[in-house]
Amino acid sequence: MSEINLSHIYQTVCNAPGGNGFRVEHMPELFATSDIDDCMAHVHSFYEILWFQDGEGIHTVDFVDYKVVPGTIFFLSPGQIHHFDCKDNYRGVAIKMCTDLIKVSNSSTNISRLFLEYNAFHTYEGTPYYIIDEPTSKLLQPLIHEMELEAERNGELGNIDILKSLLTIFLAKIERYGKHEAEQTVDYRKPSHLLFIRFRQLLEQEYKQLHTVQEYANRLNVSVRSLSNSVNECSGKSPLIFINNRIILEAKRLVLYSDLMIKEIAYMLGYDDPSYFVKHFKRHTGYLPSDFREMERYKK
């Protein structure tokens, strides 16, 4: 099995979509022009929205198979590994965005955009897609057309601002009208829910350095109890589950899709003692990292 080069996935600016860092493509044409085989596992350094408008099949994201039906909209974050079962049956739209284009600052004026980003993308604890109906599809289609036109106006006055605005409206309509299998509804107007989103944002930035709930509570300037209550209220889970699952997900990516030694992966994920990392991996997966690598590659 050929390995995926994961060395680039931590860049803050992608180099895939050119110009203004925004591109709208259409399926199935994009498969014919792609530089990679989309039916093979691959990774992007940019954000991607995949709207399947017609066709059925399986879309695999980070080791999980998801059924594709018309109206399914997937949200892929930088570093996620995915592939399709068959590229001939699909019709739809792919929106690709550089990380700087979608990045949200910590300013309070960006609270709603922060929720849009972290309710759609970086949702490693839940399903990475929404299902929309035909009326919602009709609301979104004109926005796709506007984004496609604006993407071609690179360098013109207000180009980036218009793209960001169109993208915000697009995401808001999906989250407002789409169906998602989230157990809890997150409300950006509630302080405890905002804390949950900020925790997830910080987790995505620091999971390789911060491994304890206390460390995250300190960085967020709240007590461990407040953080635990917030995360439980919004997800029904503890902060430690989120922390461990994010680390293990990255570990599985690196173990399976890179040729790094296990001790190198341990150091990359912030473990000074590789033996502790190995025990941690086995505790959460049931396998030693080396056994997981051999088992999964044998399946291929």
Side-chain angles (χ1 to χ4, degrees), residues 22-37:
F22 195 97
R23 184 186 301 165
V24 178
E25 298 179 338
H26 296 270
M27 294 181 270
E29 292 82 5
L30 73 87
F31 296 123
T33 59
S34 177
D35 295 331
I36 59 176
D37 184 352

Side-chain angles (χ1 to χ4, degrees), residues 111-288:
I111 288 177
S112 60
R113 282 208 72 221
L114 179 68
F115 267 74
L116 289 173
E117 178 180 352
Y118 282 87
N119 263 355
F121 299 101
H122 305 293
T123 56
Y124 304 118
E125 293 298 314
T127 53
Y129 63 84
Y130 281 73
I131 300 292
I132 62 168
D133 56 19
E134 187 59 30
T136 304
S137 176
K138 291 180 180 179
L139 290 175
L140 297 181
Q141 198 60 54
L143 289 169
I144 290 289
H145 180 66
E146 287 296 319
M147 285 190 280
E148 192 167 13
L149 292 177
E150 193 62 39
E152 299 298 324
R153 293 171 177 152
N154 178 42
E156 294 187 19
L157 178 65
N159 176 244
I160 297 298
D161 291 331
I162 292 174
L163 285 173
K164 287 183 176 180
S165 297
L166 289 170
L167 181 61
T168 298
I169 296 170
F170 185 78
L171 292 175
K173 286 186 180 294
I174 292 173
E175 294 205 30
R176 179 183 294 178
Y177 301 116
K179 294 181 180 179
H180 189 257
E181 294 183 2
E183 295 180 1
Q184 310 284 345
T185 300
V186 181
D187 187 343
Y188 75 90
R189 296 165 296 185
K190 295 182 179 180
S192 60
H193 290 207
L194 176 58
L195 175 59
F196 171 62
I197 292 295
R198 293 225 182 271
F199 163 68
R200 286 174 50 198
Q201 181 187 36
L202 181 61
L203 174 62
E204 187 57 28
Q205 296 168 351
E206 302 289 351
Y207 65 88
K208 290 184 287 182
Q209 287 77 36
L210 308 181
H211 293 174
T212 69
V213 178
Q214 183 68 66
E215 289 174 307
Y216 283 94
N218 291 344
R219 289 285 294 273
L220 292 166
N221 296 314
V222 298
S223 67
V224 169
R225 182 176 181 179
S226 294
L227 179 58
S228 297
N229 289 342
S230 168
V231 175
N232 183 263
E233 177 184 345
C234 294
S235 69
K237 301 173 183 176
S238 71
L240 188 59
I241 289 177
F242 275 81
I243 295 168
N244 286 335
N245 285 354
R246 184 63 185 92
I247 294 170
I248 293 300
L249 171 59
E250 198 67 22
K252 289 167 68 176
R253 290 173 177 172
L254 293 168
V255 167
L256 184 56
Y257 290 110
S258 81
D259 56 1
L260 293 171
M261 298 174 63
I262 301 304
K263 66 178 181 179
E264 292 176 310
I265 295 174
Y267 295 143
M268 182 180 292
L269 294 177
Y271 291 89
D272 295 329
D273 183 356
S275 64
Y276 181 80
F277 165 73
V278 169
K279 293 176 183 177
H280 187 69
F281 188 93
K282 184 175 182 180
R283 186 183 309 122
H284 289 276
T285 67
Y287 300 96
L288 295 172

